[in-house]
Amino acid sequence: MENICVPVTLDAFVLTPALWNGTEADHPSRIAPITQPNYTGLRLDSALIQHDTLNHVDLHRTKPASLNSRVADLGSPSRALKDNRFGVYLHWVLPRTFRSGRTAAANGTNTQASSAVPIYSPIPNRWLIVRRLRASDPPTSGIADFQGWIVESDRVSRIDDIDPKADLEVEVSPFVQSGGDPSLPGQAKIQSEVFLGGKFHAELWGEDGRPERVKPLTVNSSSNPFFADYTVMNSNVLSILDNFSYGDPLKPSYLKSATADYCVIGWHSDEKDDPFTDDSRPLKDRLSDFFMTVTNPNDSRLKLPDSTRSIYSGSMYTVVFDRLNPPKTVLADEIGKNFRKEVKMEPVSVGATALDAVLAYLRAHETDDLSKDIVKIASLLIAADETYDTQVQAQDLLYGYNYDASDGGIEWHYDGTVPRGAAPNTPATPSPTEADALMALNEAQTRLDILSNDIRDKRYQMFSLWWQLVSDRQNSVLNHNNDPVAIQKRYRQAADDLSKVISDLFNQQTHLQGAVLDHSKKVRCKKVSKLPFFQRKDPTVSIAGMGSGWPDKWLQSLLVRFEDETPKSSNASQVAKLPPGLQPIASRVFNEFLGGPPTAPPPNSPLANSIPWWKSWNNTQPFFPLFVEWEAAYFQIPKELWKVESYNSGDPPHVTIRYAVDEPLAGGKYLEDVRTVSGRVLILPQAALSLQNLVANLVATFPAKNGPITDEERTTLLDPTLWANFKYLSLTLSGFTDHLITRIQGSHVKPNARKTDGTLQVLKDAIDASSYGFTNPVFPLEYLKAIEAESSVTPYGNAVEFDDDTVFPFKAVTAGQACFTKLNIIDKFGQAIPALEPKPIPKDQAMPLPSLYPCMSDYLTPNSIGGFPNVVFRDKDTTLPSRFIQLTPSINQNARINAHFVKQVFEKNAQGVEDPTKFRYWTPCNDWDQPIWGWIVVNYADYGLQFFLADGTFYTEVRIGGPRGTSSQGQKWLPFGVPSTTVGHPQLDGLIARLTSGTSPEYLYAFAAMINESIKSMPHAPDEYAGYMSSIVGKPLALVNTSWSLELSQNPVLPGNTLGNKTPKPGEELTNWPFSIKLGDWSRPFDGMVAYFDMTTSNSSNIINYDRINTYFATPTVPPNTTNDPRHFIDETLPYPTLAPYFAAADASSDPFSPTNPTPTLETAARQGFVKAMLIDPFTPVHAYSPTLPVKSLQLPGWTIQSALQNMTAFFHLGPISVTEDIPIKYDSSMEPKATVNQAPFPPGTHTVNLPMSSSTKWRWFQPYALPVDNTSQDDGSGLQTKYNALPIGTDDGSPKFSPGPYTMLEGYLQLLEPAVKPVI
């Protein structure tokens, strides 16, 4: 098969002394000093070990050039400039295929490596770079028009092998070589002296069989995430410096100016490393896996499984180097001018997410038509439906994007079938044996999930102990403050204790895994993921006017060419160093380069939609932002000052809740508890947010006429030329929260090294480092082995000093305000744009600190007092916006709100029967449990409330009237008969008793008014609910018990600092923090809560406090007496209920099935939070709104509603009414009414009650009779009972008939024989 040519993008940076010319206003950007990884920080020596091997770039001494260590010899008295470092820095961008890991199966190999470990393709390790000089000064230099170099990317050099005169910062790259034997001592020291890469003149180069090379060399071979793109760290590996030297190599001269073209061709020295070899899959599949495509998708060669070779080429034209003049356009300067003091508002915005940050900027800068139009449709970007309800619901969903989700565990559900002949909507119900097995299974699974999280936590604690010991040199220094032996004993005791806990947890984990497997075989069940845990994301910064630097079409398939798709040519001598099999295609590519820049491809051609292989420099210095280094001052605000309040937010505006501080903060009182937080964010080529695509997709859904935008706005929103200038960069301030819990992100040494097969092996150096010269190490092999991979971030240890011993550095809860003190944007060539002037800030710097004034989204804007932001420091110039973002209280670890429908559990007597008077605890309902304990339906005709049992059986009715203002049927169940089997209904009885108690009807009036008001704001019932029934009786509402709790995924995080104050009880700091939640919301029709009732502490089965009704529907006040309205409006003055975080710690020592309580873990959620009885719309979920975590919803299973409403019929009181024919005067027990819909027809000849109504067959008349009390009835003291007969309705057209008397006056009930829901077919 023909060879393939893969395009690579070239970028050229011209470093010339002229870049330092001019004023600060004209050239606000900086050339950063070379800051390379300090791999000596990987040595396990307390004097050398570092939390991060890459220090922040120091921009304090970058101007003039004589102060910049990148280009000046600061060791010489004259600070002479280093001429060898000026020139063209050329970098080639590796295609996506080398940056994405694949599993062994996807890679088409049979490796034994774990499928969980990604495999990266070896990168091309040989590169031919050819320079063509178009012009040069001096013209008599004798420098050749063409000059070529070969770069050996995989060449390994030791420090002793390198020429002492070599410039280590530009001629080689520091490298950590993996693959050494971790069990041997001194590996970290050996690896810290390794360098990679080499550049050689092409005409003198040949493969030398050098024994030490990195094989295979991948982007992941180094622990350095910047290796592939930061030219400071990949010199002569993936980039070169062409300094235009000529003459004597020992005393070279350098051109004053030059114009040059460059061609780069790469290949694999070992054809086995080529991704297109040793893979028997069709070429089409290989290309797809490599994110590549070809011009003709029907090319027959795509079906071939043959191996082939590939080269990687790119060209750059007309690069101008001039020592006296800078490039005509320096993009870094153009962008940097936006950060000058005279610019009123920096192009920086901060939000909770990328979209949130970008929209915050646009709302503050509606300076052009495109920005204005984007803001106009911003709310529709979340949900295309323009209705208010949908928009608000979308805003709630968007709020959830402010949080990162993590695994929430597993639960098992019954997967049996419904028995044949069962009633409709009957849930699959396990047998008692299956139910016990399922309960035991979920108990074991719950404990296993908790224990797995606990193990990860303990692993990290072991790493934290080890790091604190080996990184603090004071631990080995003997003086009046230190006793190394005592220190070692203290650490060893802590490590011993932790090791024992981990060992016990391992044993329990094995036991629980077996229990889960065993019980899962005893019941038909299916595994379902629980809802995840959440933690608020670190804030996101958006920088306007700056793109990501990655090619626009980076995420699209890369168009490659077969050899015959390149121009024909004869062999070129410049490519003679390539393998013979690659020289023909390389010659074609090189001669194509000589032909000059190709013409632009047609707009609709495949070439126009892929990354081109050539680029013209256009006298423009590129700016390719690669990472951002930031720093901020964070001020913690005491928890006592935070209050939960309602406020209008979002677009469209809607009511939500947030934490706010009502007490004025300015004045210096709250400046003491301050922390410095910092981090580095790598800018990756990922589609985190493509606003242009979002807008285009949305506009496509708008109708051509009468849509939300005008034709002119549509044109603006789709104009590609406007979008070409609409650039922004979004990045998350990673590490912000880690700093607050005293942890540091960075590249650091880890006690376990990952081998090529994915397994971990303990470093011998890591063991030895913990001995400090003593015989026995503090951390032997088995202790460090237990850490496994839980070592991604380091604890502070002694890395950070704290001057104020009155505050605690560790923050279990983020609750404060922060302002930026540094925001440096670094590009891949070392250009830097400092958003703030880079000046050192003294430790004792008084406010105000140098800071930015970013635009802020609603989520991060401080609340106002007196029209001004309430911040810890207020600028004297009140026209300035706030420099502080507000970070409202948020838990600094994974947590979630649990919500369940719950049922009561009572004590059992000696016979094993529950005693309903001895309440024990609440437990979550199973899938087959009925969570509803009552139904309420408004009877509009009788101005009363009808009560039904959970299964839809009528229970009783309460109406307004009678001597006390309320009237309850003296006997339950009427007008229907008493069921053959009855059980107690204490909760329903308690509510009915409260509705009918007292001497005035205000409670019933208020209750009915609340229901009527709530129904007005509810969404329409689903189609299954018979809509015509609502004209007779109201929408049915359900009574349920719910539990709400706040669960942590692991034990409270522990402090990692050894300097400064250590929080004495960090767990209590978190668990004692009351986090508020708001149950339901009247302004959101998609929320179904009508009211909730608090619980009492009674041990009886009726533990609901009905005296207080918590509701949003507390208006209007009700007659006749408004002084005792039981309704309490839900708002921040109520106050909102609070939850304390908890963690259900695993019991590592006991058998999980032996405790007295058979399922203690499963009930933890209900026990740790609170339980509320609720009146809800059964068709709509209930929500808990939290300013701390995403919205939590709880909805009834469909079968619980269907099964009840199919049994529920509408009936109402009627009379007195006159009829011309009398009714039977004797009660007939065979004619007793039935509450069911499906009733047998009446026997022929049954007396009818003629009423003027249509569809008489759908109605029945219930006629009351007074009978003596018997043993089936309840005696109200009269000695009589009421029973009813059901009679058919006869037809009566209502016209006068002048029938002879006597007439009869009737009073009874009319029943509609239609179910509350349509039958399921």
mmCIF file of all heavy atoms in Angstrom, residues 274-305:
data_model
loop_
_atom_site.group_PDB
_atom_site.id
_atom_site.type_symbol
_atom_site.label_atom_id
_atom_site.label_comp_id
_atom_site.label_asym_id
_atom_site.label_seq_id
_atom_site.Cartn_x
_atom_site.Cartn_y
_atom_site.Cartn_z
ATOM 1 N N ASP A 274 5.589 2.821 13.881
ATOM 2 C CA ASP A 274 4.660 3.564 13.038
ATOM 3 C C ASP A 274 3.242 3.062 13.323
ATOM 4 O O ASP A 274 2.992 1.854 13.295
ATOM 5 C CB ASP A 274 5.015 3.352 11.558
ATOM 6 C CG ASP A 274 4.314 4.340 10.651
ATOM 7 O OD1 ASP A 274 3.087 4.523 10.790
ATOM 8 O OD2 ASP A 274 4.998 4.948 9.799
ATOM 9 N N PRO A 275 2.280 3.947 13.616
ATOM 10 C CA PRO A 275 0.934 3.475 13.966
ATOM 11 C C PRO A 275 0.223 2.757 12.831
ATOM 12 O O PRO A 275 -0.779 2.070 13.067
ATOM 13 C CB PRO A 275 0.196 4.772 14.343
ATOM 14 C CG PRO A 275 0.961 5.864 13.693
ATOM 15 C CD PRO A 275 2.389 5.414 13.680
ATOM 16 N N PHE A 276 0.746 2.880 11.588
ATOM 17 C CA PHE A 276 0.067 2.238 10.466
ATOM 18 C C PHE A 276 0.659 0.872 10.135
ATOM 19 O O PHE A 276 0.281 0.253 9.150
ATOM 20 C CB PHE A 276 0.125 3.143 9.227
ATOM 21 C CG PHE A 276 -0.743 4.360 9.340
ATOM 22 C CD1 PHE A 276 -0.212 5.558 9.800
ATOM 23 C CD2 PHE A 276 -2.092 4.302 9.024
ATOM 24 C CE1 PHE A 276 -1.015 6.682 9.913
ATOM 25 C CE2 PHE A 276 -2.889 5.420 9.140
ATOM 26 C CZ PHE A 276 -2.358 6.615 9.590
ATOM 27 N N THR A 277 1.597 0.409 10.950
ATOM 28 C CA THR A 277 2.154 -0.929 10.739
ATOM 29 C C THR A 277 1.679 -1.848 11.858
ATOM 30 O O THR A 277 1.154 -1.406 12.878
ATOM 31 C CB THR A 277 3.689 -0.894 10.719
ATOM 32 O OG1 THR A 277 4.161 -0.435 11.985
ATOM 33 C CG2 THR A 277 4.190 0.045 9.629
ATOM 34 N N ASP A 278 1.909 -3.141 11.654
ATOM 35 C CA ASP A 278 1.557 -4.158 12.658
ATOM 36 C C ASP A 278 0.114 -4.021 13.122
ATOM 37 O O ASP A 278 -0.209 -4.163 14.301
ATOM 38 C CB ASP A 278 2.505 -4.068 13.867
ATOM 39 C CG ASP A 278 3.897 -4.544 13.520
ATOM 40 O OD1 ASP A 278 4.025 -5.278 12.517
ATOM 41 O OD2 ASP A 278 4.840 -4.187 14.230
ATOM 42 N N ASP A 279 -0.776 -3.725 12.215
ATOM 43 C CA ASP A 279 -2.199 -3.602 12.530
ATOM 44 C C ASP A 279 -2.961 -4.142 11.333
ATOM 45 O O ASP A 279 -2.895 -3.585 10.235
ATOM 46 C CB ASP A 279 -2.560 -2.131 12.788
ATOM 47 C CG ASP A 279 -3.958 -1.982 13.388
ATOM 48 O OD1 ASP A 279 -4.779 -2.896 13.214
ATOM 49 O OD2 ASP A 279 -4.220 -0.940 14.022
ATOM 50 N N SER A 280 -3.638 -5.248 11.522
ATOM 51 C CA SER A 280 -4.273 -5.947 10.405
ATOM 52 C C SER A 280 -5.686 -5.449 10.110
ATOM 53 O O SER A 280 -6.368 -6.002 9.254
ATOM 54 C CB SER A 280 -4.327 -7.451 10.700
ATOM 55 O OG SER A 280 -5.061 -7.683 11.895
ATOM 56 N N ARG A 281 -6.124 -4.440 10.794
ATOM 57 C CA ARG A 281 -7.464 -3.921 10.531
ATOM 58 C C ARG A 281 -7.490 -3.152 9.216
ATOM 59 O O ARG A 281 -6.457 -2.662 8.753
ATOM 60 C CB ARG A 281 -7.908 -2.994 11.665
ATOM 61 C CG ARG A 281 -8.113 -3.702 12.997
ATOM 62 C CD ARG A 281 -8.471 -2.685 14.070
ATOM 63 N NE ARG A 281 -7.415 -1.695 14.248
ATOM 64 C CZ ARG A 281 -7.605 -0.525 14.849
ATOM 65 N NH1 ARG A 281 -8.811 -0.193 15.284
ATOM 66 N NH2 ARG A 281 -6.591 0.325 14.987
ATOM 67 N N PRO A 282 -8.664 -3.006 8.595
ATOM 68 C CA PRO A 282 -8.745 -2.187 7.381
ATOM 69 C C PRO A 282 -8.256 -0.770 7.668
ATOM 70 O O PRO A 282 -8.395 -0.242 8.773
ATOM 71 C CB PRO A 282 -10.246 -2.205 7.033
ATOM 72 C CG PRO A 282 -10.763 -3.448 7.675
ATOM 73 C CD PRO A 282 -9.955 -3.639 8.922
ATOM 74 N N LEU A 283 -7.657 -0.163 6.640
ATOM 75 C CA LEU A 283 -7.092 1.165 6.815
ATOM 76 C C LEU A 283 -8.147 2.156 7.301
ATOM 77 O O LEU A 283 -7.842 3.062 8.087
ATOM 78 C CB LEU A 283 -6.484 1.629 5.488
ATOM 79 C CG LEU A 283 -5.840 3.017 5.503
ATOM 80 C CD1 LEU A 283 -4.702 3.077 6.509
ATOM 81 C CD2 LEU A 283 -5.363 3.398 4.100
ATOM 82 N N LYS A 284 -9.378 2.008 6.859
ATOM 83 C CA LYS A 284 -10.442 2.918 7.272
ATOM 84 C C LYS A 284 -10.608 2.919 8.789
ATOM 85 O O LYS A 284 -10.780 3.979 9.409
ATOM 86 C CB LYS A 284 -11.756 2.515 6.604
ATOM 87 C CG LYS A 284 -12.925 3.416 6.959
ATOM 88 C CD LYS A 284 -14.200 2.971 6.240
ATOM 89 C CE LYS A 284 -15.363 3.874 6.602
ATOM 90 N NZ LYS A 284 -16.614 3.441 5.914
ATOM 91 N N ASP A 285 -10.558 1.740 9.406
ATOM 92 C CA ASP A 285 -10.701 1.644 10.860
ATOM 93 C C ASP A 285 -9.512 2.267 11.575
ATOM 94 O O ASP A 285 -9.660 2.929 12.605
ATOM 95 C CB ASP A 285 -10.861 0.181 11.271
ATOM 96 C CG ASP A 285 -12.163 -0.419 10.765
ATOM 97 O OD1 ASP A 285 -13.072 0.354 10.409
ATOM 98 O OD2 ASP A 285 -12.265 -1.664 10.714
ATOM 99 N N ARG A 286 -8.319 2.032 11.016
ATOM 100 C CA ARG A 286 -7.134 2.618 11.648
ATOM 101 C C ARG A 286 -7.187 4.140 11.579
ATOM 102 O O ARG A 286 -6.917 4.837 12.560
ATOM 103 C CB ARG A 286 -5.873 2.086 10.957
ATOM 104 C CG ARG A 286 -5.518 0.663 11.335
ATOM 105 C CD ARG A 286 -4.312 0.175 10.556
ATOM 106 N NE ARG A 286 -4.682 -0.315 9.237
ATOM 107 C CZ ARG A 286 -3.826 -0.588 8.253
ATOM 108 N NH1 ARG A 286 -2.540 -0.363 8.431
ATOM 109 N NH2 ARG A 286 -4.244 -1.034 7.090
ATOM 110 N N LEU A 287 -7.564 4.667 10.427
ATOM 111 C CA LEU A 287 -7.662 6.119 10.292
ATOM 112 C C LEU A 287 -8.688 6.699 11.256
ATOM 113 O O LEU A 287 -8.476 7.753 11.855
ATOM 114 C CB LEU A 287 -8.021 6.485 8.848
ATOM 115 C CG LEU A 287 -6.925 6.290 7.798
ATOM 116 C CD1 LEU A 287 -7.495 6.492 6.401
ATOM 117 C CD2 LEU A 287 -5.764 7.236 8.043
ATOM 118 N N SER A 288 -9.799 6.017 11.389
ATOM 119 C CA SER A 288 -10.841 6.497 12.288
ATOM 120 C C SER A 288 -10.346 6.558 13.727
ATOM 121 O O SER A 288 -10.592 7.537 14.442
ATOM 122 C CB SER A 288 -12.070 5.588 12.192
ATOM 123 O OG SER A 288 -13.066 5.981 13.108
ATOM 124 N N ASP A 289 -9.626 5.518 14.162
ATOM 125 C CA ASP A 289 -9.072 5.504 15.513
ATOM 126 C C ASP A 289 -8.033 6.598 15.707
ATOM 127 O O ASP A 289 -7.842 7.091 16.825
ATOM 128 C CB ASP A 289 -8.428 4.148 15.809
ATOM 129 C CG ASP A 289 -9.457 3.122 16.254
ATOM 130 O OD1 ASP A 289 -10.627 3.506 16.432
ATOM 131 O OD2 ASP A 289 -9.093 1.952 16.398
ATOM 132 N N PHE A 290 -7.378 6.982 14.607
ATOM 133 C CA PHE A 290 -6.324 7.996 14.700
ATOM 134 C C PHE A 290 -6.863 9.401 14.418
ATOM 135 O O PHE A 290 -6.090 10.329 14.239
ATOM 136 C CB PHE A 290 -5.206 7.678 13.694
ATOM 137 C CG PHE A 290 -4.554 6.347 13.897
ATOM 138 C CD1 PHE A 290 -3.938 5.679 12.846
ATOM 139 C CD2 PHE A 290 -4.562 5.744 15.153
ATOM 140 C CE1 PHE A 290 -3.339 4.448 13.043
ATOM 141 C CE2 PHE A 290 -3.964 4.511 15.336
ATOM 142 C CZ PHE A 290 -3.357 3.852 14.290
ATOM 143 N N PHE A 291 -8.192 9.541 14.352
ATOM 144 C CA PHE A 291 -8.838 10.844 14.099
ATOM 145 C C PHE A 291 -8.405 11.410 12.751
ATOM 146 O O PHE A 291 -8.129 12.591 12.614
ATOM 147 C CB PHE A 291 -8.510 11.855 15.206
ATOM 148 C CG PHE A 291 -8.693 11.314 16.602
ATOM 149 C CD1 PHE A 291 -7.593 11.019 17.390
ATOM 150 C CD2 PHE A 291 -9.958 11.084 17.102
ATOM 151 C CE1 PHE A 291 -7.753 10.512 18.664
ATOM 152 C CE2 PHE A 291 -10.128 10.577 18.370
ATOM 153 C CZ PHE A 291 -9.028 10.281 19.158
ATOM 154 N N MET A 292 -8.345 10.533 11.755
ATOM 155 C CA MET A 292 -7.908 10.940 10.427
ATOM 156 C C MET A 292 -8.929 10.512 9.393
ATOM 157 O O MET A 292 -9.795 9.666 9.633
ATOM 158 C CB MET A 292 -6.541 10.325 10.102
ATOM 159 C CG MET A 292 -5.418 10.764 11.031
ATOM 160 S SD MET A 292 -3.862 9.919 10.639
ATOM 161 C CE MET A 292 -2.797 10.511 11.956
ATOM 162 N N THR A 293 -8.824 11.121 8.226
ATOM 163 C CA THR A 293 -9.691 10.772 7.108
ATOM 164 C C THR A 293 -8.932 11.027 5.816
ATOM 165 O O THR A 293 -7.790 11.522 5.834
ATOM 166 C CB THR A 293 -10.994 11.594 7.142
ATOM 167 O OG1 THR A 293 -11.888 11.116 6.139
ATOM 168 C CG2 THR A 293 -10.715 13.076 6.911
ATOM 169 N N VAL A 294 -9.553 10.686 4.674
ATOM 170 C CA VAL A 294 -8.932 10.901 3.370
ATOM 171 C C VAL A 294 -9.888 11.706 2.502
ATOM 172 O O VAL A 294 -11.067 11.881 2.822
ATOM 173 C CB VAL A 294 -8.583 9.565 2.678
ATOM 174 C CG1 VAL A 294 -7.511 8.826 3.458
ATOM 175 C CG2 VAL A 294 -9.824 8.703 2.515
ATOM 176 N N THR A 295 -9.352 12.190 1.396
ATOM 177 C CA THR A 295 -10.153 13.043 0.509
ATOM 178 C C THR A 295 -11.356 12.299 -0.037
ATOM 179 O O THR A 295 -12.472 12.808 -0.052
ATOM 180 C CB THR A 295 -9.282 13.555 -0.648
ATOM 181 O OG1 THR A 295 -8.128 14.200 -0.123
ATOM 182 C CG2 THR A 295 -10.061 14.524 -1.525
ATOM 183 N N ASN A 296 -11.144 11.066 -0.475
ATOM 184 C CA ASN A 296 -12.213 10.277 -1.082
ATOM 185 C C ASN A 296 -12.631 9.169 -0.111
ATOM 186 O O ASN A 296 -11.898 8.186 0.063
ATOM 187 C CB ASN A 296 -11.731 9.663 -2.397
ATOM 188 C CG ASN A 296 -12.804 8.821 -3.066
ATOM 189 O OD1 ASN A 296 -13.972 8.852 -2.668
ATOM 190 N ND2 ASN A 296 -12.411 8.068 -4.083
ATOM 191 N N PRO A 297 -13.786 9.300 0.542
ATOM 192 C CA PRO A 297 -14.194 8.277 1.509
ATOM 193 C C PRO A 297 -14.493 6.927 0.869
ATOM 194 O O PRO A 297 -14.621 5.932 1.574
ATOM 195 C CB PRO A 297 -15.454 8.874 2.147
ATOM 196 C CG PRO A 297 -15.971 9.846 1.132
ATOM 197 C CD PRO A 297 -14.771 10.390 0.428
ATOM 198 N N ASN A 298 -14.591 6.884 -0.479
ATOM 199 C CA ASN A 298 -14.872 5.616 -1.181
ATOM 200 C C ASN A 298 -13.614 5.011 -1.781
ATOM 201 O O ASN A 298 -13.701 4.060 -2.567
ATOM 202 C CB ASN A 298 -15.910 5.857 -2.276
ATOM 203 C CG ASN A 298 -17.235 6.341 -1.720
ATOM 204 O OD1 ASN A 298 -17.720 5.807 -0.715
ATOM 205 N ND2 ASN A 298 -17.823 7.343 -2.360
ATOM 206 N N ASP A 299 -12.474 5.530 -1.434
ATOM 207 C CA ASP A 299 -11.219 5.012 -1.955
ATOM 208 C C ASP A 299 -11.086 3.527 -1.597
ATOM 209 O O ASP A 299 -11.245 3.137 -0.432
ATOM 210 C CB ASP A 299 -10.056 5.811 -1.382
ATOM 211 C CG ASP A 299 -8.756 5.578 -2.152
ATOM 212 O OD1 ASP A 299 -8.393 4.401 -2.356
ATOM 213 O OD2 ASP A 299 -8.112 6.572 -2.536
ATOM 214 N N SER A 300 -10.813 2.707 -2.596
ATOM 215 C CA SER A 300 -10.741 1.253 -2.380
ATOM 216 C C SER A 300 -9.624 0.867 -1.423
ATOM 217 O O SER A 300 -9.675 -0.190 -0.779
ATOM 218 C CB SER A 300 -10.547 0.536 -3.720
ATOM 219 O OG SER A 300 -9.350 0.960 -4.353
ATOM 220 N N ARG A 301 -8.598 1.712 -1.306
ATOM 221 C CA ARG A 301 -7.485 1.383 -0.426
ATOM 222 C C ARG A 301 -7.889 1.382 1.049
ATOM 223 O O ARG A 301 -7.184 0.830 1.895
ATOM 224 C CB ARG A 301 -6.342 2.362 -0.665
ATOM 225 C CG ARG A 301 -5.631 2.164 -1.986
ATOM 226 C CD ARG A 301 -4.667 3.276 -2.298
ATOM 227 N NE ARG A 301 -5.363 4.532 -2.648
ATOM 228 C CZ ARG A 301 -4.773 5.592 -3.172
ATOM 229 N NH1 ARG A 301 -3.462 5.562 -3.406
ATOM 230 N NH2 ARG A 301 -5.455 6.687 -3.463
ATOM 231 N N LEU A 302 -9.014 2.016 1.365
ATOM 232 C CA LEU A 302 -9.462 2.077 2.756
ATOM 233 C C LEU A 302 -9.867 0.701 3.286
ATOM 234 O O LEU A 302 -9.905 0.485 4.496
ATOM 235 C CB LEU A 302 -10.636 3.049 2.893
ATOM 236 C CG LEU A 302 -10.332 4.518 2.585
ATOM 237 C CD1 LEU A 302 -11.606 5.343 2.686
ATOM 238 C CD2 LEU A 302 -9.278 5.049 3.559
ATOM 239 N N LYS A 303 -10.171 -0.209 2.384
ATOM 240 C CA LYS A 303 -10.601 -1.542 2.802
ATOM 241 C C LYS A 303 -9.439 -2.495 3.035
ATOM 242 O O LYS A 303 -9.616 -3.583 3.571
ATOM 243 C CB LYS A 303 -11.542 -2.136 1.758
ATOM 244 C CG LYS A 303 -12.801 -1.317 1.525
ATOM 245 C CD LYS A 303 -13.667 -1.951 0.434
ATOM 246 C CE LYS A 303 -14.918 -1.116 0.171
ATOM 247 N NZ LYS A 303 -15.759 -1.728 -0.898
ATOM 248 N N LEU A 304 -8.240 -2.087 2.610
ATOM 249 C CA LEU A 304 -7.099 -2.994 2.677
ATOM 250 C C LEU A 304 -6.551 -3.086 4.101
ATOM 251 O O LEU A 304 -6.446 -2.077 4.807
ATOM 252 C CB LEU A 304 -6.001 -2.518 1.728
ATOM 253 C CG LEU A 304 -6.380 -2.452 0.247
ATOM 254 C CD1 LEU A 304 -5.221 -1.908 -0.562
ATOM 255 C CD2 LEU A 304 -6.803 -3.837 -0.247
ATOM 256 N N PRO A 305 -6.137 -4.285 4.506
ATOM 257 C CA PRO A 305 -5.550 -4.456 5.841
ATOM 258 C C PRO A 305 -4.030 -4.337 5.835
ATOM 259 O O PRO A 305 -3.381 -4.596 6.853
ATOM 260 C CB PRO A 305 -5.979 -5.869 6.219
ATOM 261 C CG PRO A 305 -5.985 -6.598 4.906
ATOM 262 C CD PRO A 305 -6.404 -5.590 3.859
#
